[in-house]
Amino acid sequence: QACDAFNLDGVCKNDCETDQETSLILAVHKYVGKTKDSKFLSVVVNGFTILERLEMSLQWLQRNRTAPEPYSPLLWGGTTLDWGDVQAEQGLLWKWWCWYWNGKVHIPNVSMLNLCSHPSIDVYDNSMFVMALDAF
């Protein structure tokens, strides 16, 4: 399994970005629209159908990547420099932030939010979210 990062629950999730979930929903929507094949959405994976998992991904964004009331309902994520979803903070600091543990050098994961992250709200992720809500 290829994965950018794992969160504390062991879920494969690059958590500095918020467009993976919406991109998947839009891809599924386009696939179902073109093929008329929606049977796979009722397949159960570890207790949840694929359709339920898609809904859970939208709920995760709403629960974990929007500011609480009375602040903005817009999605926020880490500030990234390119389409590789890499945060500049660790990219620039990694030279000074390496440390040794059990004889190995450990470098912070540049795709995970941490104390050095600078949260940002961007048009792309929020427009993808609106399109995914509409497609769902």
Side-chain angles (χ1 to χ4, degrees):
Q1 173 185 11
C3 184
D4 288 336
F6 288 91
N7 67 14
L8 294 177
D9 298 323
V11 175
C12 180
K13 171 74 177 114
N14 164 347
D15 78 349
C16 74
E17 281 301 318
T18 56
D19 63 338
Q20 294 97 347
E21 298 84 0
T22 55
S23 295
L24 177 61
I25 289 170
L26 291 171
V28 168
H29 181 262
K30 184 171 264 191
Y31 171 81
V32 170
K34 294 282 185 190
T35 66
K36 309 302 183 217
D37 172 23
S38 61
K39 292 179 190 172
F40 72 96
L41 294 172
S42 61
V43 172
V44 176
V45 178
N46 293 331
F48 298 96
T49 66
I50 291 174
L51 183 61
E52 290 170 327
R53 289 182 173 279
L54 291 173
E55 183 177 15
M56 289 164 57
S57 72
L58 289 173
Q59 291 169 346
W60 187 92
L61 289 173
Q62 290 174 314
R63 187 175 54 252
N64 295 290
R65 290 296 178 263
T66 57
E69 292 293 336
Y71 302 104
S72 170
L74 296 173
L75 295 181
W76 62 271
T79 302
T80 56
L81 294 179
D82 61 13
W83 290 101
D85 295 342
V86 174
Q87 298 180 91
E89 291 84 0
Q90 287 105 337
L92 297 174
L93 294 176
W94 76 268
K95 293 177 187 173
W96 301 282
W97 201 356
C98 291
W99 65 91
Y100 288 91
W101 182 57
N102 288 339
K104 296 180 181 178
V105 175
H106 295 270
I107 300 172
N109 190 322
V110 295
S111 61
M112 297 293 286
L113 292 173
N114 62 48
L115 294 176
C116 290
S117 298
H118 288 89
S120 65
I121 294 173
D122 66 81
V123 173
Y124 175 75
D125 289 345
N126 280 281
S127 63
M128 292 287 287
F129 186 59
V130 169
M131 289 189 295
L133 288 171
D134 186 52
F136 192 77

